[in-house]
């Protein structure tokens, strides 16, 4: 198997989402994605990038004094060497999280990885790509994320919570689409319905206005 990956960027920042929000983290952004979500904020990762070996990536990650690494994209699982990369990071002692669209099979992901998996809402334009059989591979260390733009997205997300009993399986994240649904509106909906989910905003966008590499 080819042990190289096409990498858009490797950078050090604060985790802006999920249950390690605020922690200094190294981000490895893999190039390429088979989806085209309406609210995508990393379209620059669709193409280009630099081919690096797993050893090269580990050396770059090792420059930073943190044990937290996030493998993201694009869609990282679109590259076959993503799983060997995560195993290499885990074996080196890092706490590894994977940000994945949920459209690709997660069954081969190492059980030590914390999966942060989207279920694409109607407004994304990619709801048909959701791979619901991935839900069976989620555990308490994992998270399902819903990115919500409007009331229809919110109602659909509530239906998925109930149908798949998601809050009993893993942590659930509700996040508003920046500049489309206000954080306050989503927060009020969650409280009114007493949903057992974690409300989140993208911290990095508030700190650095969505600057690349932040």
């Amino acid at each position: 198997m080819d042990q190289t990956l096409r990498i858009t960027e490797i950078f050090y920042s604060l985790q802006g989402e999920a249950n390690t929000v605020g922690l200094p983290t190294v981000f490895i952004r893999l190039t390429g994605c088979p989806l085209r979500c309406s609210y995508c904020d990393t379209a620059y990762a669709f193409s280009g990038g630099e081919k690096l070996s797993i050893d090269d990536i580990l050396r770059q990650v090792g420059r930073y004094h943190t044990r937290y690494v996030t493998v993201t994209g694009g869609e990282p699982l679109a590259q076959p060497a993503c799983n060997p990369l995560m195993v290499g990071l885990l074996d080196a002692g890092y706490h590894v999280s994977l940000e994945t669209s949920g459209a690709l099979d997660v069954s081969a992901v190492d059980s030590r990885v914390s999966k942060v998996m989207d279920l694409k809402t109607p407004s994304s334009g990619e709801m048909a790509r959701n791979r619901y059989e991935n839900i069976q591979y989620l555990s308490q260390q994992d998270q399902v994320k819903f990115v919500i733009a409007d009331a229809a997205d919110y109602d659909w997300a509530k239906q998925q919570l109930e149908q798949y009993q998601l809050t009993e399986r893993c942590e659930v994240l509700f996040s508003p689409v920046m500049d489309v649904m206000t954080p306050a509106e989503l927060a009020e909906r969650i409280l009114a319905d007493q949903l057992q989910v974690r409300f989140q905003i993208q911290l990095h966008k508030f700190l650095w206005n969505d600057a690349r590499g932040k």
Side-chain angles (χ1 to χ4, degrees), residues 3 5 7 28 30 53-54 57-58 71 81-90 96:
Q3 294 291 295
L5 299 101
I7 303 296
I28 305 170
L30 276 63
S53 70
I54 290 175
I57 296 168
L58 285 168
V71 178
C82 179
N83 281 321
L85 168 63
M86 292 190 291
V87 169
L89 290 163
L90 290 161
V96 178

Side-chain angles (χ1 to χ4, degrees), residues 40-151:
C40 180
D41 55 9
T42 53
Y44 64 86
F46 288 166
S47 60
E50 176 186 8
K51 292 197 79 172
L52 295 174
S53 70
I54 290 175
D55 287 343
D56 288 337
I57 296 168
L58 285 168
R59 277 193 289 272
Q60 289 197 37
V61 171
R63 297 173 184 170
Y64 304 102
H65 298 294
T66 181
R67 305 315 298 172
Y68 292 90
V69 177
T70 293
V71 178
T72 187
E75 169 49 70
L77 291 179
Q79 295 194 43
C82 179
N83 281 321
L85 168 63
M86 292 190 291
V87 169
L89 290 163
L90 290 161
D91 290 348
Y94 292 103
H95 177 283
V96 178
S97 62
L98 168 69
E99 295 184 344
T100 178
S101 66
L104 300 182
D105 184 7
V106 302
S107 63
V109 174
D110 192 290
S111 62
R112 296 172 290 173
V113 171
S114 176
K115 297 181 287 293
V116 183
M117 190 186 85
D118 277 24
L119 282 179
K120 297 299 182 184
T121 53
S123 72
S124 72
E126 293 286 16
M127 187 176 68
R129 305 291 291 272
N130 286 330
R131 185 183 174 95
Y132 295 100
E133 49 267 56
N134 278 337
I135 293 171
Q136 67 185 300
Y137 301 111
L138 300 176
S139 67
Q140 288 296 313
Q141 71 179 10
D142 300 321
Q143 297 140 79
V144 167
K145 181 172 70 172
F146 294 91
V147 180
I148 296 172
D150 52 32

Side-chain angles (χ1 to χ4, degrees), residues 12-28:
Y12 179 63
S13 187
L14 298 180
Q15 175 59 260
E17 303 182 76
N19 63 8
T20 55
V21 64
L23 291 174
T25 301
V26 178
F27 293 83
I28 305 170

